[in-house]
Coordinates of all heavy atoms in Angstrom, one line a residue:
Y1 N -17.9 5.2 -14.9 CA -17.6 5.7 -13.6 C -17.3 4.5 -12.7 O -17.7 3.3 -12.9 CB -18.8 6.5 -13.0 CG -20.1 5.6 -12.8 CD1 -20.3 5.1 -11.5 CD2 -21.0 5.3 -13.7 CE1 -21.4 4.3 -11.2 CE2 -22.1 4.5 -13.5 CZ -22.4 4.1 -12.2 OH -23.4 3.3 -11.9
A2 N -16.6 4.8 -11.6 CA -16.2 3.8 -10.7 C -17.2 3.6 -9.5 O -17.7 4.7 -9.1 CB -14.8 4.1 -10.2
T3 N -17.4 2.5 -9.1 CA -18.3 2.3 -7.9 C -17.4 2.0 -6.7 O -16.3 1.4 -6.9 CB -19.3 1.2 -8.1 OG1 -18.6 0.0 -8.4 CG2 -20.2 1.5 -9.3
Q4 N -17.9 2.3 -5.5 CA -17.2 2.0 -4.3 C -17.3 0.5 -4.1 O -18.4 -0.1 -4.1 CB -17.7 2.7 -3.2 CG -17.5 4.2 -3.3 CD -16.0 4.6 -3.1 OE1 -15.2 3.8 -2.5 NE2 -15.6 5.6 -3.7
P5 N -16.2 -0.2 -3.7 CA -16.4 -1.6 -3.4 C -17.1 -1.8 -2.0 O -17.0 -1.0 -1.1 CB -14.9 -2.1 -3.2 CG -14.1 -0.8 -2.9 CD -14.9 0.3 -3.6
D6 N -17.8 -2.9 -1.9 CA -18.4 -3.2 -0.6 C -17.4 -3.9 0.3 O -16.9 -5.0 0.1 CB -19.6 -4.2 -0.9 CG -20.4 -4.6 0.3 OD1 -20.0 -4.0 1.5 OD2 -21.4 -5.3 0.2
T7 N -17.0 -3.1 1.4 CA -16.0 -3.6 2.3 C -16.5 -4.2 3.5 O -15.7 -4.6 4.4 CB -15.0 -2.5 2.6 OG1 -15.8 -1.4 3.2 CG2 -14.3 -2.0 1.4
R8 N -17.8 -4.3 3.7 CA -18.3 -4.8 5.0 C -17.9 -6.2 5.3 O -17.9 -6.4 6.5 CB -19.9 -4.7 4.9 CG -20.5 -3.3 4.9 CD -21.9 -3.4 4.7 NE -22.2 -3.8 3.3 CZ -23.4 -3.9 2.8 NH1 -24.4 -3.6 3.4 NH2 -23.5 -4.3 1.5
R9 N -17.6 -7.0 4.4 CA -17.2 -8.3 4.7 C -15.6 -8.5 4.6 O -15.1 -9.7 4.8 CB -17.9 -9.4 3.9 CG -19.3 -9.4 4.2 CD -20.1 -10.5 3.5 NE -19.7 -10.5 2.1 CZ -20.2 -11.5 1.3 NH1 -21.1 -12.3 1.7 NH2 -19.9 -11.5 0.0
L10 N -14.9 -7.5 4.4 CA -13.4 -7.5 4.3 C -12.9 -7.8 5.7 O -13.0 -7.1 6.6 CB -12.9 -6.2 3.8 CG -11.4 -6.1 3.7 CD1 -10.9 -7.0 2.6 CD2 -11.0 -4.7 3.3
S11 N -12.2 -9.0 5.8 CA -11.7 -9.4 7.1 C -10.2 -9.4 7.1 O -9.6 -9.3 8.3 CB -12.2 -10.8 7.5 OG -11.7 -11.7 6.6
R12 N -9.5 -9.5 6.0 CA -8.0 -9.5 6.0 C -7.5 -8.5 4.9 O -8.1 -8.5 3.8 CB -7.5 -10.9 5.6 CG -7.8 -11.9 6.6 CD -7.2 -13.3 6.2 NE -5.8 -13.3 6.0 CZ -4.9 -13.4 6.9 NH1 -5.2 -13.6 8.2 NH2 -3.6 -13.4 6.7
L13 N -6.6 -7.7 5.3 CA -6.0 -6.7 4.5 C -4.5 -7.0 4.5 O -3.9 -6.6 5.6 CB -6.3 -5.3 4.8 CG -5.8 -4.2 3.9 CD1 -6.3 -4.4 2.5 CD2 -6.1 -2.8 4.4
D14 N -3.9 -7.5 3.5 CA -2.4 -7.8 3.5 C -1.7 -7.0 2.4 O -1.9 -7.4 1.2 CB -2.2 -9.3 3.3 CG -0.8 -9.7 3.5 OD1 0.1 -8.8 3.5 OD2 -0.5 -10.9 3.9
L15 N -1.0 -5.9 2.7 CA -0.4 -5.1 1.7 C 1.1 -5.1 1.9 O 1.8 -4.1 1.6 CB -0.9 -3.7 1.7 CG -2.4 -3.6 1.2 CD1 -3.0 -2.2 1.4 CD2 -2.5 -4.0 -0.2
R16 N 1.7 -6.1 2.5 CA 3.1 -6.2 2.8 C 3.9 -6.2 1.5 O 3.5 -6.7 0.5 CB 3.5 -7.3 3.7 CG 3.3 -8.7 3.1 CD 3.5 -9.7 4.1 NE 2.5 -10.8 3.9 CZ 2.4 -11.8 4.6 NH1 3.3 -12.1 5.5 NH2 1.5 -12.7 4.3
R17 N 5.1 -5.6 1.6 CA 6.0 -5.6 0.5 C 5.5 -5.1 -0.8 O 5.6 -5.6 -1.9 CB 6.6 -7.0 0.3 CG 7.5 -7.5 1.3 CD 8.2 -8.8 0.9 NE 8.2 -9.7 2.1 CZ 7.5 -10.8 2.2 NH1 6.7 -11.3 1.3 NH2 7.5 -11.5 3.4
N18 N 4.8 -3.9 -0.7 CA 4.2 -3.3 -1.9 C 4.9 -2.0 -2.3 O 4.3 -1.2 -3.1 CB 2.7 -3.1 -1.7 CG 1.9 -4.4 -2.1 OD1 1.7 -4.6 -3.3 ND2 1.5 -5.2 -1.1
N19 N 5.9 -1.6 -1.6 CA 6.6 -0.4 -1.9 C 5.7 0.8 -1.7 O 5.8 1.8 -2.5 CB 7.3 -0.4 -3.2 CG 8.3 -1.5 -3.4 OD1 9.2 -1.6 -2.5 ND2 8.3 -2.2 -4.5
L20 N 4.9 0.7 -0.7 CA 4.0 1.9 -0.4 C 4.7 3.0 0.3 O 5.7 2.7 0.9 CB 2.9 1.4 0.6 CG 2.0 0.2 0.1 CD1 1.0 -0.3 1.2 CD2 1.3 0.6 -1.1
T21 N 4.3 4.2 0.0 CA 5.0 5.4 0.6 C 3.9 6.3 1.3 O 2.7 6.2 0.9 CB 5.7 6.2 -0.6 OG1 4.7 6.6 -1.5 CG2 6.8 5.4 -1.2
G22 N 4.4 7.2 2.0 CA 3.5 8.1 2.7 C 3.0 7.7 4.1 O 3.8 6.9 4.8
V23 N 1.8 8.0 4.5 CA 1.3 7.6 5.8 C 0.3 6.5 5.6 O -0.2 6.2 4.6 CB 0.7 8.9 6.5 CG1 1.7 10.0 6.7 CG2 -0.5 9.4 5.7
L24 N 0.0 5.8 6.8 CA -1.0 4.8 6.7 C -2.3 5.4 6.4 O -2.7 6.5 6.9 CB -1.0 4.1 8.1 CG 0.1 3.2 8.5 CD1 0.1 2.7 9.9 CD2 0.2 2.0 7.6
P25 N -3.1 4.8 5.6 CA -4.4 5.4 5.1 C -5.5 5.2 6.1 O -5.5 4.3 7.0 CB -4.7 4.5 3.9 CG -4.2 3.2 4.2 CD -2.9 3.5 4.9
A26 N -6.6 6.0 6.0 CA -7.8 5.8 6.7 C -8.4 4.6 6.0 O -8.2 4.4 4.8 CB -8.7 7.0 6.5
L27 N -9.0 3.7 6.7 CA -9.6 2.5 6.2 C -11.2 2.6 6.4 O -11.6 3.2 7.3 CB -9.0 1.2 6.9 CG -7.5 1.1 6.6 CD1 -7.0 -0.1 7.4 CD2 -7.2 0.8 5.1
P28 N -11.9 1.8 5.6 CA -13.3 1.9 5.7 C -13.8 1.4 7.1 O -13.4 0.3 7.5 CB -13.8 0.9 4.7 CG -12.7 0.5 3.9 CD -11.4 0.9 4.5
T29 N -14.5 2.2 7.8 CA -14.9 1.8 9.1 C -16.0 0.7 9.1 O -16.3 0.1 10.1 CB -15.4 3.0 9.9 OG1 -16.5 3.6 9.2 CG2 -14.4 4.1 10.1
T30 N -16.5 0.4 8.0 CA -17.6 -0.6 7.9 C -16.9 -2.0 7.7 O -17.6 -3.0 7.8 CB -18.5 -0.4 6.7 OG1 -17.7 -0.3 5.5 CG2 -19.3 0.9 6.9
A31 N -15.6 -2.0 7.5 CA -15.0 -3.3 7.3 C -14.9 -4.1 8.6 O -14.8 -3.6 9.6 CB -13.6 -3.1 6.7
A32 N -15.0 -5.4 8.4 CA -14.9 -6.3 9.6 C -13.5 -6.8 9.7 O -13.2 -8.0 9.9 CB -15.9 -7.5 9.4
L33 N -12.5 -6.0 9.5 CA -11.1 -6.3 9.6 C -10.7 -6.9 10.9 O -10.9 -6.4 11.9 CB -10.2 -5.1 9.3 CG -10.3 -4.6 7.9 CD1 -9.6 -3.2 7.8 CD2 -9.7 -5.6 6.9
N34 N -10.0 -8.1 10.8 CA -9.4 -8.7 12.0 C -7.9 -8.9 11.8 O -7.2 -9.2 12.7 CB -10.1 -9.9 12.4 CG -10.1 -11.0 11.4 OD1 -9.2 -11.2 10.6 ND2 -11.2 -11.7 11.3
Y35 N -7.4 -8.7 10.5 CA -6.0 -8.8 10.2 C -5.6 -7.7 9.3 O -6.2 -7.5 8.2 CB -5.7 -10.2 9.6 CG -4.3 -10.3 9.1 CD1 -3.3 -10.8 10.0 CD2 -3.9 -10.0 7.8 CE1 -2.0 -10.9 9.6 CE2 -2.6 -10.2 7.4 CZ -1.6 -10.6 8.2 OH -0.4 -10.7 7.8
I36 N -4.6 -6.9 9.7 CA -4.0 -5.9 8.8 C -2.5 -6.1 8.8 O -1.9 -6.2 9.8 CB -4.4 -4.5 9.3 CG1 -5.9 -4.3 9.3 CG2 -3.7 -3.4 8.4 CD1 -6.3 -2.9 9.9
S37 N -2.0 -6.0 7.6 CA -0.5 -6.0 7.4 C -0.1 -5.0 6.4 O -0.5 -5.0 5.2 CB 0.0 -7.4 7.0 OG 1.4 -7.3 6.8
F38 N 0.7 -4.1 6.8 CA 1.5 -3.2 5.9 C 3.0 -3.4 6.1 O 3.8 -2.6 5.7 CB 1.1 -1.7 6.3 CG -0.2 -1.2 5.8 CD1 -1.3 -1.3 6.6 CD2 -0.4 -0.8 4.5 CE1 -2.5 -0.9 6.2 CE2 -1.6 -0.3 4.1 CZ -2.7 -0.4 5.0
A39 N 3.4 -4.6 6.6 CA 4.8 -4.9 6.9 C 5.7 -4.7 5.6 O 5.3 -4.9 4.5 CB 4.8 -6.3 7.3
E40 N 6.9 -4.4 6.0 CA 8.0 -4.3 5.0 C 7.7 -3.3 3.9 O 8.0 -3.5 2.7 CB 8.3 -5.7 4.5 CG 8.7 -6.7 5.5 CD 9.0 -8.0 5.0 OE1 9.6 -8.2 4.0 OE2 8.6 -9.0 5.7
N41 N 7.2 -2.2 4.3 CA 7.0 -1.0 3.4 C 7.7 0.1 4.1 O 7.2 1.0 4.8 CB 5.5 -0.7 3.3 CG 4.8 -1.6 2.4 OD1 5.0 -1.6 1.1 ND2 3.9 -2.4 3.0
P42 N 9.1 0.2 4.0 CA 9.9 1.1 4.8 C 9.6 2.6 4.6 O 10.0 3.4 5.4 CB 11.4 0.7 4.5 CG 11.3 0.0 3.2 CD 9.9 -0.7 3.1
S43 N 9.0 2.9 3.5 CA 8.7 4.3 3.2 C 7.3 4.8 3.8 O 7.0 5.9 3.6 CB 8.7 4.6 1.7 OG 10.0 4.3 1.2
L44 N 6.7 3.9 4.5 CA 5.5 4.3 5.3 C 6.0 5.0 6.5 O 6.7 4.4 7.3 CB 4.6 3.1 5.6 CG 3.7 2.5 4.5 CD1 2.9 1.4 4.9 CD2 2.7 3.7 3.9
T45 N 5.4 6.2 6.8 CA 5.9 6.9 8.0 C 4.6 7.5 8.7 O 3.5 7.3 8.2 CB 6.7 8.2 7.5 OG1 6.0 8.9 6.6 CG2 8.0 7.6 6.8
G46 N 4.9 8.2 9.8 CA 3.8 8.7 10.6 C 3.2 7.9 11.5 O 3.7 6.7 11.7
P47 N 2.1 8.3 12.2 CA 1.5 7.5 13.3 C 0.4 6.5 12.7 O 0.0 6.6 11.5 CB 0.8 8.5 14.1 CG 0.4 9.6 13.1 CD 1.6 9.6 12.1
V48 N 0.1 5.6 13.6 CA -1.1 4.7 13.2 C -2.3 5.6 13.3 O -2.5 6.3 14.3 CB -1.2 3.6 14.3 CG1 -2.5 2.8 14.1 CG2 0.0 2.7 14.1
P49 N -3.2 5.7 12.3 CA -4.4 6.5 12.4 C -5.2 6.3 13.7 O -5.6 5.1 14.0 CB -5.2 6.2 11.1 CG -4.1 5.7 10.2 CD -3.1 4.9 11.0
A50 N -5.6 7.3 14.3 CA -6.3 7.2 15.6 C -7.7 6.5 15.3 O -8.1 5.8 16.2 CB -6.6 8.6 16.1
D51 N -8.3 6.7 14.2 CA -9.6 6.0 13.9 C -9.6 4.5 13.8 O -10.5 3.8 13.8 CB -10.3 6.7 12.7 CG -9.6 6.5 11.4 OD1 -8.4 6.1 11.4 OD2 -10.2 6.7 10.4
W52 N -8.3 4.0 13.7 CA -8.2 2.5 13.7 C -8.5 1.9 15.0 O -8.9 0.7 15.1 CB -6.7 2.1 13.3 CG -6.4 2.3 11.8 CD1 -6.9 3.0 10.8 CD2 -5.3 1.6 11.2 NE1 -6.3 2.9 9.7 CE2 -5.3 2.0 9.9 CE3 -4.3 0.7 11.6 CZ2 -4.3 1.6 8.9 CZ3 -3.4 0.3 10.7 CH2 -3.4 0.7 9.4
A53 N -8.4 2.7 16.0 CA -8.5 2.1 17.4 C -9.9 1.5 17.7 O -10.0 0.5 18.3 CB -8.2 3.2 18.4
N54 N -10.9 2.1 17.2 CA -12.3 1.6 17.5 C -13.0 1.1 16.2 O -14.2 0.8 16.3 CB -13.1 2.7 18.2 CG -12.5 3.0 19.5 OD1 -12.2 2.2 20.3 ND2 -12.3 4.3 19.7
S55 N -12.4 1.1 15.1 CA -13.0 0.8 13.8 C -13.1 -0.7 13.5 O -13.9 -1.0 12.7 CB -12.4 1.6 12.7 OG -12.5 3.0 12.9
F56 N -12.3 -1.5 14.0 CA -12.1 -2.8 13.6 C -12.1 -3.8 14.7 O -12.0 -3.4 15.9 CB -10.8 -3.0 12.8 CG -10.6 -1.9 11.8 CD1 -9.5 -1.1 11.9 CD2 -11.5 -1.7 10.7 CE1 -9.2 -0.1 11.1 CE2 -11.2 -0.6 9.8 CZ -10.1 0.2 10.0
K57 N -12.2 -5.1 14.4 CA -12.1 -6.1 15.4 C -10.8 -6.8 15.3 O -10.8 -8.1 15.0 CB -13.3 -7.1 15.2 CG -14.6 -6.4 15.5 CD -15.8 -7.3 15.3 CE -17.0 -6.5 15.5 NZ -18.3 -7.1 15.0
L58 N -9.8 -6.0 15.3 CA -8.4 -6.6 15.0 C -8.0 -7.7 16.1 O -8.2 -7.5 17.3 CB -7.4 -5.5 15.2 CG -7.3 -4.6 14.0 CD1 -6.3 -3.5 14.2 CD2 -7.0 -5.2 12.7
T59 N -7.5 -8.7 15.5 CA -6.8 -9.8 16.3 C -5.3 -9.8 16.0 O -4.5 -10.2 16.8 CB -7.4 -11.1 16.2 OG1 -7.4 -11.5 14.8 CG2 -8.8 -11.1 16.7
E60 N -4.9 -9.3 14.8 CA -3.5 -9.3 14.3 C -3.2 -8.1 13.6 O -4.0 -7.6 12.7 CB -3.2 -10.5 13.5 CG -3.3 -11.8 14.2 CD -2.8 -13.0 13.3 OE1 -1.7 -13.0 13.0 OE2 -3.7 -13.8 13.0
L61 N -2.1 -7.5 13.9 CA -1.6 -6.2 13.2 C -0.2 -6.4 13.0 O 0.6 -6.6 13.9 CB -1.9 -5.0 14.1 CG -1.4 -3.7 13.5 CD1 -2.2 -3.3 12.2 CD2 -1.6 -2.6 14.6
D62 N 0.3 -6.3 11.7 CA 1.7 -6.4 11.4 C 2.1 -5.1 10.7 O 1.8 -4.9 9.6 CB 2.0 -7.6 10.5 CG 3.4 -7.9 10.2 OD1 4.3 -7.1 10.6 OD2 3.7 -8.9 9.6
L63 N 2.9 -4.3 11.4 CA 3.5 -3.1 10.9 C 5.0 -3.1 10.9 O 5.7 -2.1 10.9 CB 3.0 -1.9 11.7 CG 1.4 -1.7 11.7 CD1 1.1 -0.6 12.7 CD2 0.9 -1.4 10.3
S64 N 5.6 -4.3 11.0 CA 7.0 -4.4 11.1 C 7.7 -3.9 9.8 O 7.1 -4.1 8.7 CB 7.4 -5.9 11.4 OG 7.0 -6.7 10.4
G65 N 8.8 -3.3 9.9 CA 9.6 -2.9 8.8 C 9.1 -1.6 8.2 O 9.5 -1.3 7.1
C66 N 8.2 -0.9 8.9 CA 7.7 0.4 8.5 C 8.5 1.4 9.4 O 9.0 1.1 10.5 CB 6.3 0.5 8.7 SG 5.2 -0.7 7.7
N67 N 8.5 2.7 9.0 CA 9.1 3.7 9.8 C 8.0 4.6 10.4 O 8.0 5.8 10.2 CB 10.0 4.5 8.9 CG 11.3 3.8 8.6 OD1 12.0 3.4 9.5 ND2 11.6 3.6 7.3
L68 N 7.2 4.0 11.3 CA 6.1 4.7 11.9 C 6.6 5.3 13.2 O 7.6 5.0 13.8 CB 5.0 3.7 12.2 CG 4.4 3.0 11.0 CD1 3.4 1.9 11.4 CD2 3.9 3.9 10.0
T69 N 5.8 6.4 13.6 CA 6.2 7.1 14.8 C 4.9 7.1 15.7 O 3.8 6.8 15.2 CB 6.6 8.6 14.4 OG1 5.5 9.2 13.7 CG2 7.8 8.5 13.6
G70 N 5.1 7.6 16.9 CA 4.0 7.8 17.8 C 3.7 6.6 18.6 O 4.5 5.6 18.6
T71 N 2.6 6.5 19.2 CA 2.2 5.4 20.1 C 1.0 4.7 19.5 O 0.3 5.3 18.7 CB 1.9 5.9 21.5 OG1 0.8 6.8 21.5 CG2 3.1 6.5 22.2
L72 N 0.7 3.5 20.0 CA -0.4 2.8 19.6 C -1.6 3.2 20.4 O -1.4 3.7 21.5 CB -0.2 1.2 19.8 CG 0.8 0.7 18.9 CD1 1.1 -0.8 19.3 CD2 0.5 0.8 17.4
P73 N -2.8 3.2 19.8 CA -4.0 3.5 20.6 C -4.1 2.8 22.0 O -3.9 1.5 22.0 CB -5.1 3.2 19.7 CG -4.6 3.3 18.3 CD -3.2 2.8 18.5
A74 N -4.3 3.4 23.0 CA -4.3 2.8 24.4 C -5.3 1.7 24.5 O -5.2 0.8 25.2 CB -4.5 3.9 25.4
V75 N -6.5 1.9 23.8 CA -7.6 0.9 23.9 C -7.1 -0.5 23.4 O -7.7 -1.5 23.9 CB -8.8 1.4 23.1 CG1 -8.6 1.3 21.6 CG2 -10.0 0.6 23.4
W76 N -6.1 -0.6 22.6 CA -5.6 -1.8 22.1 C -5.0 -2.7 23.2 O -5.0 -3.9 23.2 CB -4.7 -1.7 21.0 CG -5.3 -1.4 19.6 CD1 -6.7 -1.5 19.4 CD2 -4.7 -1.0 18.5 NE1 -6.9 -1.1 18.1 CE2 -5.7 -0.8 17.5 CE3 -3.4 -0.8 18.1 CZ2 -5.5 -0.4 16.2 CZ3 -3.2 -0.3 16.8 CH2 -4.2 -0.2 15.9
G77 N -4.5 -2.0 24.3 CA -3.9 -2.7 25.4 C -5.0 -3.5 26.2 O -4.6 -4.5 26.9
S78 N -6.2 -3.2 26.1 CA -7.3 -3.9 26.8 C -8.3 -4.6 25.9 O -9.3 -5.0 26.3 CB -8.0 -2.9 27.7 OG -8.6 -1.9 26.8
T79 N -7.9 -4.7 24.6 CA -8.7 -5.5 23.6 C -8.5 -6.9 23.7 O -7.4 -7.4 23.5 CB -8.4 -5.0 22.2 OG1 -8.7 -3.5 22.2 CG2 -9.4 -5.7 21.2
P80 N -9.6 -7.7 24.1 CA -9.4 -9.2 24.3 C -9.0 -9.8 22.9 O -9.6 -9.5 21.9 CB -10.7 -9.6 24.7 CG -11.4 -8.4 25.2 CD -10.8 -7.3 24.5
G81 N -8.0 -10.7 22.9 CA -7.6 -11.4 21.7 C -6.7 -10.6 20.7 O -6.3 -11.1 19.7
F82 N -6.4 -9.3 21.0 CA -5.6 -8.5 20.1 C -4.1 -8.9 20.3 O -3.6 -8.9 21.3 CB -5.7 -7.1 20.3 CG -4.9 -6.2 19.5 CD1 -5.1 -6.2 18.1 CD2 -4.0 -5.3 20.0 CE1 -4.3 -5.4 17.3 CE2 -3.2 -4.5 19.2 CZ -3.4 -4.5 17.9
N83 N -3.4 -9.2 19.2 CA -2.1 -9.6 19.2 C -1.2 -8.7 18.3 O -1.2 -8.9 17.1 CB -1.9 -11.0 18.6 CG -0.5 -11.5 18.6 OD1 0.4 -11.0 19.2 ND2 -0.3 -12.7 17.9
P84 N -0.6 -7.7 18.9 CA 0.2 -6.7 18.1 C 1.6 -7.3 18.1 O 2.6 -6.6 18.4 CB 0.1 -5.4 18.9 CG 0.0 -5.9 20.3 CD -0.9 -7.2 20.3
A85 N 1.8 -8.6 17.7 CA 3.1 -9.2 17.8 C 4.1 -8.6 16.8 O 5.3 -8.9 17.0 CB 2.9 -10.7 17.6
W86 N 3.7 -8.0 15.7 CA 4.6 -7.6 14.7 C 4.7 -6.1 14.6 O 4.5 -5.6 13.4 CB 4.3 -8.4 13.4 CG 4.3 -9.8 13.6 CD1 5.4 -10.6 13.7 CD2 3.2 -10.7 13.6 NE1 5.0 -11.9 13.9 CE2 3.6 -12.0 13.8 CE3 1.8 -10.5 13.6 CZ2 2.8 -13.0 13.9 CZ3 1.0 -11.5 13.7 CH2 1.4 -12.8 13.9
I87 N 4.9 -5.4 15.6 CA 4.9 -4.0 15.5 C 6.4 -3.5 15.9 O 6.8 -3.9 17.0 CB 4.0 -3.3 16.4 CG1 2.5 -3.7 16.0 CG2 4.1 -1.8 16.4 CD1 1.4 -3.3 16.9
S88 N 7.0 -2.8 15.0 CA 8.3 -2.3 15.3 C 8.6 -1.0 14.6 O 7.8 -0.7 13.7 CB 9.4 -3.3 14.9 OG 9.4 -3.6 13.5

């Protein structure tokens, strides 16, 4: 049987250029993520999951080269140190 990985100390998630398809996934809310990249996966579509807004301590988010829709969570506009520099 498979066990669930312990993601509590996961701080960086870099899945750029992995030919991912579909929508952005829900991520473990226990993770201490401060960097997320799904960049250059043009078959990723849909919105940024709403639960990402309060789940992590993001300082960097790279979603460039994806075909996402919708708006970013408003709370990110007032998050100290958050750099959404690579969102397109």
Side-chain angles (χ1 to χ4, degrees):
Y1 69 94
T3 60
Q4 294 291 335
D6 183 358
T7 59
R8 289 175 292 185
R9 296 189 311 180
L10 179 65
S11 64
R12 294 180 59 83
L13 181 63
D14 191 341
L15 294 172
R16 68 184 136 180
R17 291 187 220 112
N18 274 279
N19 296 314
L20 301 175
T21 61
V23 297
L24 290 171
L27 296 173
T29 57
T30 57
L33 288 169
N34 58 36
Y35 173 87
I36 297 175
S37 177
F38 281 95
E40 300 177 41
N41 286 290
S43 294
L44 282 178
T45 59
V48 173
D51 63 345
W52 284 20
N54 297 311
S55 299
F56 317 114
K57 297 177 179 164
L58 284 177
T59 55
E60 293 183 67
L61 177 64
D62 187 351
L63 300 173
S64 61
C66 298
N67 286 305
L68 302 176
T69 58
T71 60
L72 294 176
V75 70
W76 284 348
S78 61
T79 302
F82 179 59
N83 180 13
W86 303 287
I87 299 174
S88 63

